[in-house]
Amino acid sequence: MIVVMEEGASEALVQQVIDRMVEMEFTVHRSTGLVHTVLGGVGPEERIDPQEFEVMEGVKEAHRIMSPYKLASRHFRPGGTVVRVRDVEIGGEEMVLMAGPCSVESKEQIRRCAEVVAEAGGKVIRGGAFKPRSSPYSFQGLGEEGLQMMREAADAHGLLVISEVMDSSQIPLMMRYSDLLQVGARNMQNFNLLRELSKIRKPILLKRGIAATIEELLLSAEYVLSGGNYEVILCERGIRTFESYTRNTMDLSAIPVVHKLSHLPIVADPSHGTGRRDQVIPMARAAVAAGADGLLVEMHPDPDHALSDGAQSLRPEQLIELSRQLQMIAPAVGRKMQPADIMESVAIVGVGLIGGSFGLALREAGFAGPIVGVSSERSIAEGVARGAIDRGVTLEEAAATSSLLYLAQPISKILEVIPKLGGAGSGTLITDAGSTKGMIAERARESKLAAQFLGGHPMAGKESRGQERRKQDYSEAELTS
Ligand code: PEP
Ligand code: MN
């Protein structure tokens, strides 16, 4: 503790402060300057509020030297904390995406959310079963039924579950269904709840209070740590300021500040941080660039009809798009991120030797999504009979509905097809099996497609027998010729 005396404070006043410091078990070092006397105290300052000295007569100001939190401080674990849940690490090299609806509303809603989160490369599905609503008349959540639905949906896609615990009576239920327990902004200083959560062995995601300082957030984390639960993840979710355009003001500076002051991982929630769907993606990008260890994002299959926080919930395709953008941002700041799954639905254009083999190989590798084909009637019939594709479609339908378009045709055909793929959206990847890349890449550039075009590796093979001819059918001599 540093106590600075007023200019000209009498010796009696200085002695009074020294006596008080000694009484509080500080060892006092005095420095008498020309203008001010400064008292340096080494002792139990985490227990003492500097204001106790500031109100004393003759004192100008008093400051702590050390932080008031110990276990949450960076000094406690200079290397940082990695929270591990199954194969997911939060605070490690990977930036972890957590997404889902504000509230679990129905089986179908949460099932679709899990599908989208997994497709976006997310590792955790979020969803409230107990909702802290500002109004008692708003939807309050589905309770245990909601948790059950979310657990099932998560398990179908190998995702972890995070859900909010509002009260210590809900802890046993949460332990059963949820992998991470979220403490909401309104409960950040519910110290009884924090004490109860310090006794369990599941990670806690602690959200910053609506009007909490970073120091208060770290002191709340200290409650959980000091009771023996070291698995704490902090979350910046926006604070209340005089700005009224956004729901809250997303305090991105909290991310590097927390990383400096604490060893605990910090994730960002740009959904509550802004309250507006159109602001979520830019702030999510910025949070990752600022070093966030993860993102907690609200996403809803039909946000216009969501029972809570629809205006700030991304649409499914926006989450996929965000994930794509983060693939570029995360590596720029030394982080990895699980790529979005581009193979949700596949279209093979040209179901011959290469196209047909590709479809069969996808099925052999366990791909369970739809595979459609664009080809001659005969090849479609053969592809369907062999299980390489599910059905034939037009080129327009293939472009509009597939996340991966594979052009397995001769070069002259590929050059004709590329300009017709304008119906493929920015979430689609187009690749090809043509053997000459220059012309094909040039045609893709000229066609100004919304979809991503990535020239594929040319393949070789004998066209002598079409798609019925697979590798195992070739003789050794043919394979090496
Ligand atoms: C939520 O995550 O849906 C939520 C209620 O968040 P917060 O506690 O940050 O308001
Ligand atoms: Mn919400």
Side-chain angles (χ1 to χ4, degrees):
M1 187 77 67
I2 299 283
V3 181
V4 182
M5 300 302 295
E6 300 270 18
E7 192 176 341
S10 69
E11 187 54 33
L13 291 177
V14 173
Q15 195 53 51
Q16 200 173 303
V17 176
I18 293 174
D19 291 347
R20 180 89 177 106
M21 290 175 91
V22 170
E23 192 188 319
M24 288 173 165
E25 297 173 357
F26 283 99
T27 309
V28 183
H29 302 266
R30 175 173 177 164
S31 155
T32 312
L34 280 178
V35 183
H36 294 287
T37 294
V38 177
L39 304 171
V42 180
E45 62 173 20
E46 70 277 11
R47 282 198 263 120
I48 307 233
D49 187 338
Q51 282 198 344
E52 294 210 28
F53 296 106
E54 283 183 345
V55 294
M56 289 181 76
E57 198 180 342
V59 172
K60 181 168 182 274
E61 56 200 70
H63 306 279
R64 280 200 180 96
I65 308 170
M66 315 248 290
S67 55
Y69 41 83
K70 296 277 167 273
L71 302 173
S73 148
R74 171 68 64 179
H75 300 297
F76 183 70
R77 266 193 200 159
T81 285
V82 178
V83 173
R84 288 186 183 82
V85 195
R86 282 199 255 144
D87 58 339
V88 179
E89 291 189 350
I90 300 156
E93 201 184 353
E94 188 170 337
M95 201 293 298
V96 177
L97 178 64
M98 314 180 192
C102 179
S103 313
V104 182
E105 297 171 8
S106 69
K107 237 182 189 162
E108 183 47 34
Q109 173 238 26
I110 198 72
R111 194 199 57 73
R112 174 69 186 136
C113 285
E115 199 173 85
V116 176
V117 172
E119 192 196 332
K123 299 285 175 76
V124 185
I125 183 163
R126 62 146 291 150
F130 299 101
K131 294 305 302 177
R133 306 305 301 281
S134 298
S135 161
Y137 307 115
S138 305
F139 176 62
Q140 305 285 311
L142 293 182
E144 180 168 7
E145 205 189 344
L147 288 170
Q148 252 161 2
M149 290 174 185
M150 186 157 52
R151 183 76 261 172
E152 259 171 48
D155 289 346
H157 294 275
L159 299 171
L160 299 178
V161 165
I162 183 167
S163 198
E164 176 166 354
V165 56
M166 280 177 61
D167 183 273
S168 47
S169 66
Q170 296 161 354
I171 295 176
L173 210 52
M174 288 292 164
M175 294 297 284
R176 200 162 339 131
Y177 296 106
S178 197
D179 300 297
L180 298 110
L181 276 58
Q182 173 176 324
V183 175
R186 292 155 195 82
N187 263 325
M188 188 202 87
Q189 289 188 317
N190 180 342
F191 302 120
N192 287 334
L193 176 62
L194 297 179
R195 265 202 206 91
E196 289 306 313
L197 293 172
S198 76
K199 297 178 195 156
I200 66 169
R201 291 297 164 265
K202 276 211 182 186
I204 307 300
L205 183 137
L206 179 63
K207 286 189 146 194
R208 182 177 180 183
I210 288 166
T213 63
I214 295 171
E215 185 170 293
E216 286 164 339
L217 172 64
L218 293 172
L219 280 167
S220 287
E222 189 84 4
Y223 268 88
V224 183
L225 299 169
S226 62
N229 186 351
Y230 287 93
E231 314 247 85
V232 177
I233 302 156
L234 303 172
C235 177
E236 168 57 45
R237 48 78 74 205
I239 48 173
R240 184 158 293 174
T241 66
F242 51 80
E243 180 53 67
S244 58
Y245 183 78
T246 46
R247 180 177 175 182
N248 290 294
T249 297
M250 183 79 190
D251 180 11
L252 285 180
S253 64
I255 296 166
V257 171
V258 162
H259 277 152
K260 186 179 163 75
L261 298 179
S262 177
H263 55 88
L264 297 172
I266 178 161
V267 306
D269 172 353
S271 308
H272 294 86
T274 61
R276 299 173 51 115
R277 190 180 306 133
D278 57 343
Q279 304 297 324
V280 171
I281 291 183
M283 292 315 277
R285 290 193 300 239
V288 172
D293 297 296
L295 283 177
L296 185 68
V297 180
E298 287 187 340
M299 179 270 300
H300 194 288
D302 181 12
D304 302 325
H305 296 99
L307 295 182
S308 59
D309 287 350
Q312 67 190 32
S313 298
L314 294 183
R315 300 182 192 285
E317 61 276 16
Q318 289 181 301
L319 186 74
I320 306 284
E321 180 57 30
L322 170 62
S323 166
R324 294 235 161 84
Q325 296 182 7
L326 296 177
Q327 304 301 322
M328 290 176 265
I329 297 170
V333 291
R335 305 300 283 259
K336 283 189 187 156
M337 193 196 149
Q338 169 91 22
D341 184 358
I342 53 162
M343 298 226 304
E344 192 194 9
S345 50
V346 176
I348 300 170
V349 182
V351 188
L353 171 74
I354 293 174
S357 301
F358 181 60
L360 288 169
L362 278 177
R363 288 292 183 233
E364 249 171 51
F367 176 68
I371 308 178
V372 296
V374 180
S375 213
S376 69
E377 224 167 279
R378 197 186 66 85
S379 301
I380 292 292
E382 196 178 331
V384 171
R386 290 184 176 277
I389 57 169
D390 303 330
R391 63 193 177 94
V393 296
T394 62
L395 187 63
E396 290 69 32
E397 185 181 340
T401 59
S402 306
S403 57
L404 176 70
L405 272 162
Y406 185 54
L407 313 180
Q409 297 162 295
I411 298 171
S412 58
K413 283 276 170 43
I414 292 177
L415 293 174
E416 276 172 37
V417 161
I418 287 176
K420 297 179 187 160
L421 298 176
S426 62
T428 300
L429 179 73
I430 304 171
T431 188
D432 72 294
S435 57
T436 306
K437 287 277 90 80
M439 275 189 295
I440 293 175
E442 187 49 38
R443 185 59 53 92
R445 251 193 304 275
E446 292 164 1
S447 307
K448 298 204 176 358
L449 303 171
Q452 301 264 1
F453 181 84
L454 179 68
H457 194 282
M459 296 197 198
K462 278 193 176 170
E463 276 279 14
S464 54
R465 280 172 60 194
Q467 59 177 308
E468 75 275 17
R469 198 91 195 273
R470 300 178 52 210
K471 192 178 161 211
Q472 55 264 43
D473 306 329
Y474 288 84
S475 69
E476 196 62 32
E478 274 179 297
L479 281 172
T480 48
S481 71

